[in-house]
RNA sequence: GGGCCUGUAGCUCAGUCAGGUAGAGCGUCGGACUUUUAAUCCGAUGGUCGCGGGUUCGAACCCCGUCAGGCCCGCCA
């Protein structure tokens, strides 16, 4: 059974109504690691609905978290906001990346909005539509009030849980509420007393004040904030990264605190990180990222979904934007063409194979942008489209080629969309070299030395034939094999010779249209210098 | 120091929860076809299941140990 269906089944033992939660702090550029968080939750939510459960899928935006430091992508003026809540400060401005006061004052456009908005657009395209819960607004609206009161009233018990479970020692003046100071920062504030609903404090500037816990004049520390959310929202299941899931991590303390607050802890679903192939873990601070938006320019949303659906959550994913993407995309095409039901009904199938077929079927189901839709194969592989996109400058020429080879009858929206991404991919640094079509400008001696004597003479005939050939795809296409036939050799010799001389390969893509797009003299020059090597 | 996850074919991974003849896809090789979609079709190839013990009639799977990689016990998806 697919991992999402297994998790959904296990959820069903808890009841029929569920709140499946995910949450991210929009402290910087989003990357595909964040996509795993939300897609893991989304797929679980879909699987649970398919299993007949009533599901509310939510995405908590942790806009109440403080800005930790002036990240490399921020201007120096952000220094003043360290410790301030990211939902309450201006966004970086285009150009110098300093605070954009104008938009902040005019439209209330915040730092959190700035990073969240493009992510939400990407989510819509991927077919993820969670209910959004803004954490900062929730604090301000008093949603946390009841849980905060319980936490403050049980401060010592909570301290005991955190110290015991995480085996870290809390400061003697630790208190389960972080008040905002006289400058609206959460940093360096000491709690001096508590009389509901006020927490009294003294800040790093020596100013004293009081924070009303029912009005969001501060926030709960993360390890309490999380279980408090579970409680007031009624979360029954949450997907989170392995960092939270480790022993002594925030889930371990959270589940005990949750029980203390009178709420059954949610069923956990921990997932592994996504790294970039050959570049290590994704990290916003080192700039080693691929954003969901950028990923979507390269690949269709279904394929991005398949990346997550195909890997069990506890498996690390090494995201490969080169050949791995081709393999993944072609895998998607293959899945689309399979008849899973007849495979499942095959009596000769082993139990093991059955599991694989069922998982593949479920992965495809969960990869659909619209739940419940049926995948349609495009009958044009990624590889093939990559070829066409490199050899033909106009889209129309590509559709013509596909129509004349009767691969398609007309370009669909899906294909047009895919071609646009393909063109972007080819232009990008991610496009794999082995897929790139390169016509040599100097002879590849090694490739030429592999030709037999027939093929070597075919090369000479071919060169002569092309010299007299009209320079269009059709003429070239007939000239290549004809040059060999005229001399009692198989067309194969001519092709092998051409590939060795022009690309340094044994086989290759259809040559004629590529050559037709190139300069005739340059091609002849290259062929001549290859002939002279003998 | 304490704990969690991962290790299965050249690659990506199923299979471990409920022990019962080692499975897919990709790749590779061979064949067919070919005025070639690095295409398609057919066939083959491929593994001391990290390692060592134990339990069992029987272990990739359960138990103990060990090695390697990643992670957590401030913050991070």
């Amino acid at each position: 059974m697919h991992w999402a269906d297994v998790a959904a089944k296990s959820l069903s033992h808890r009841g029929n109504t569920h709140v499946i939660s995910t949450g991210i702090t929009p402290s910087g550029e989003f990357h595909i690691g964040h996509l795993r968080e939300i897609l893991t939750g989304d797929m679980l939510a879909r699987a649970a609905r398919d299993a007949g459960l009533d599901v509310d899928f939510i995405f908590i935006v942790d806009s109440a978290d403080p800005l930790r430091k002036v990240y490399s992508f921020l201007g120096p003026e952000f220094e003043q906001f360290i410790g301030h809540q990211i939902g309450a400060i201006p966004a970086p401005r285009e150009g110098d990346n300093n605070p954009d006061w104008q938009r902040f004052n005019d439209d209330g456009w915040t730092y959190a909005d700035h990073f969240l908005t493009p992510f939400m657009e990407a989510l819509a395209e991927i077919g993820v539509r969670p209910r959004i819960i803004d954490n900062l607004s929730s604090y301000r609206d008093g949603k946390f009030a009841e849980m905060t009161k319980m936490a403050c009233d049980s401060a010592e018990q909570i301290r005991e849980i955190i110290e015991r479970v995480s085996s870290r020692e809390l400061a003697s003046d630790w208190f389960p509420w972080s008040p905002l100071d006289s400058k609206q920062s959460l940093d360096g504030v000491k709690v001096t007393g508590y009389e509901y609903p006020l927490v009294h404090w003294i800040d790093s500037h020596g100013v004293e004040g009081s924070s009303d816990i029912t009005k969001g004049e501060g926030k709960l520390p993360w390890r309490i904030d999380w279980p408090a959310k579970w409680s007031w929202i009624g979360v029954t299941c949450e997907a989170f990264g392995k960092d939270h899931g480790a022993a002594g991590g925030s889930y371990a303390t959270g589940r005990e605190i949750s029980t203390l607050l009178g709420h059954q802890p949610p069923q956990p679903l921990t997932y592994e990180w996504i790294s970039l192939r050959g570049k290590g873990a994704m990290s916003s601070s080192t700039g080693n990222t691929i954003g969901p938006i950028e990923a979507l320019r390269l690949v269709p949303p279904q394929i991005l979904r398949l990346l997550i659906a195909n890997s069990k959550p506890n498996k690390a994913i090494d995201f490969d934007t080169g050949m791995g993407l081709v393999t993944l995309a072609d895998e998607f095409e293959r899945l689309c063409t399979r008849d899973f039901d007849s495979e499942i009904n095959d009596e000769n199938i082993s139990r093991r194979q059955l599991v694989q077929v069922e998982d593949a079927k479920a992965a495809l189901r969960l990869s659909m942008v619209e739940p419940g839709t049926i995948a349609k194969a495009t009958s044009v592989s990624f590889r093939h489209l990559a070829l066409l996109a490199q050899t033909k400058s106009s889209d129309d020429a590509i559709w013509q080629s596909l129509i004349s080879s009767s691969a398609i009858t007309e370009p669909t929206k899906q294909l047009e969309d895919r071609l646009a991404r393909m063109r972007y991919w080819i232009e990008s640094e991610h496009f794999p070299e082995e897929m790139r079509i390169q016509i040599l400008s100097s002879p590849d001696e090694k490739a030429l030395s592999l030709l037999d004597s027939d093929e070597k003479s075919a090369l000479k005939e071919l060169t002569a034939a092309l010299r007299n050939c009209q320079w269009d795809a059709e003429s070239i296409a007939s000239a290549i094999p004809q040059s060999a036939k005229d001399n009692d050799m198989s067309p194969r010799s001519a092709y092998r010779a051409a590939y060795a001389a022009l690309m340094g390969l044994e086989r290759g893509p259809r040559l004629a249209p590529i050559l037709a797009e190139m300069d005739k003299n340059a091609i002849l020059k290259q062929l001549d210098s290859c002939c002279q090597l003998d």
Side-chain angles (χ1 to χ4, degrees), chain A residues 26-27 63-71 73-74 77-93 97-105 107-115 136 140 180 183-186:
Chain A
S27 56
S63 51
D65 288 2
L67 183 71
R68 307 252 179 227
K69 62 173 189 176
V70 181
Y71 298 104
F73 50 83
L74 295 177
E77 288 174 31
F78 269 96
E79 182 76 34
Q80 63 184 304
F81 292 124
I82 290 178
H84 291 234
Q85 294 177 295
I86 58 175
I89 59 175
R93 174 172 61 195
N97 297 319
N98 278 319
D100 187 342
W101 283 107
Q102 195 178 344
R103 271 192 97 182
F104 183 69
N105 291 327
D107 313 326
W109 182 255
T110 68
Y111 185 102
D113 294 329
H114 174 82
F115 290 109
L136 185 57
R140 288 176 174 169
L180 284 170
K183 302 231 162 111
Q184 300 297 298
S185 167
L186 293 164

Side-chain angles (χ1 to χ4, degrees), chain A residues 44-65:
Chain A
L44 173 56
R46 287 191 185 186
R49 285 184 188 126
D50 290 343
L53 303 180
D54 182 8
V55 175
D56 183 15
F57 174 49
I58 64 172
F59 172 27
I60 300 170
V61 178
D62 283 323
S63 51
D65 288 2

Side-chain angles (χ1 to χ4, degrees), chain A residues 442-459:
Chain A
S442 65
D444 180 334
E445 296 187 26
K446 195 174 164 211
L448 290 169
S449 70
L450 293 172
L451 296 178
D452 63 26
S453 59
D454 255 17
E455 287 158 358
K456 279 178 183 157
S457 60
L459 178 59

